Amino acid sequence: MRTVKVSDVMTRDVVSVRPSTSLLDCAKIFVKKKVGSIVVVDKKRLVGFITQGDILWALTKKSITDLNKIRVIDISRRKIATIKPDAILDEAIKKMKKLKFRRLPVVSENKIVGILTIRDILTYNPEMYPELDELQQIKEETEKLKRISRAKSREYMHEGICEECGVT
């Protein structure tokens, strides 16, 4: 197997905001773009990193009206683990495991060039984690057992007219 670099797998279209963006606007971007994290960039330089969890944390501490007043840089992480685009993918995976991060900004010459996520890694090579297939099977079996349990607890009516569809 050839050596895979981070730049081969990373997402290049990074969703970013300026430090002055309000948390409310940032939350709207999360919903619109369907992403789990947003990088805070000032003149192409990475200055912060914010996740959906950070927004939820802010919601528990402040009211929704305050979200329009709080700037993204006020709650974003400033100490950010990054990786270079020419780093080997295995190195990035080890770093993500060690730090327990699901995403790493990819930085070259102090400028953000992409983001590496667990989804990127698994999309590239799903065989890297054979236990994920087993986990998926367990989830499917659990859901199946729940459906069977719900079906057994229902009472069936064998005669009469269905109030919803009118079928006898």
Side-chain angles (χ1 to χ4, degrees), residues 135-151:
L135 182 64
Q136 183 61 32
Q137 288 176 353
I138 292 170
K139 282 183 180 179
E140 288 174 4
E141 284 297 317
T142 304
E143 289 299 315
K144 186 178 180 182
L145 290 172
K146 285 180 186 176
R147 288 193 306 270
I148 290 170
S149 175
R150 283 193 301 260

Side-chain angles (χ1 to χ4, degrees), residues 9-160:
V9 179
M10 71 182 187
T11 300
R12 295 174 192 284
D13 187 22
V14 181
V15 179
S16 63
V17 294
R18 289 180 306 219
S20 60
T21 306
S22 74
L23 282 186
L24 185 62
D25 291 338
C26 192
K28 289 177 183 178
I29 293 169
F30 273 115
V31 172
K32 185 178 179 183
K33 299 285 186 171
K34 297 179 183 174
V35 293
S37 63
I38 297 176
V39 294
V40 183
V41 178
D42 189 22
K43 298 175 187 160
K44 291 194 175 187
R45 238 178 39 93
L46 179 68
V47 294
F49 189 78
I50 190 161
T51 65
Q52 289 178 344
D54 297 328
I55 298 284
L56 287 173
W57 177 85
L59 273 172
T60 62
K61 301 294 180 188
K62 303 287 182 179
S63 70
I64 292 177
T65 54
D66 289 340
L67 290 184
N68 211 15
K69 298 173 187 167
I70 301 169
R71 297 177 317 141
V72 109
I73 196 68
D74 296 334
I75 69 158
S76 74
R77 300 168 198 172
R78 289 191 184 87
K79 270 192 158 185
I80 307 161
T82 61
I83 195 140
K84 295 182 186 273
D86 58 350
I88 296 170
L89 189 58
D90 287 340
E91 178 187 328
I93 292 169
K94 286 176 186 170
K95 191 172 196 174
M96 291 169 92
K97 278 184 178 179
K98 180 183 175 192
L99 299 172
K100 296 181 177 145
F101 287 170
R102 291 185 277 177
R103 17 186 117 70
L104 280 177
V106 183
V107 176
S108 178
E109 298 174 12
N110 290 328
K111 293 184 181 176
I112 184 90
V113 294
I115 190 164
L116 180 69
T117 67
I118 289 180
R119 176 174 280 158
D120 295 331
I121 295 166
L122 292 176
T123 300
Y124 174 76
N125 191 1
E127 296 85 35
M128 289 180 109
Y129 294 100
E131 62 269 9
L132 287 179
D133 186 43
E134 185 179 320
L135 182 64
Q136 183 61 32
Q137 288 176 353
I138 292 170
K139 282 183 180 179
E140 288 174 4
E141 284 297 317
T142 304
E143 289 299 315
K144 186 178 180 182
L145 290 172
K146 285 180 186 176
R147 288 193 306 270
I148 290 170
S149 175
R150 283 193 301 260
K152 284 181 179 178
S153 67
R154 285 190 213 131
E155 290 184 29
Y156 292 97
M157 186 175 233
H158 297 291
E159 57 184 22

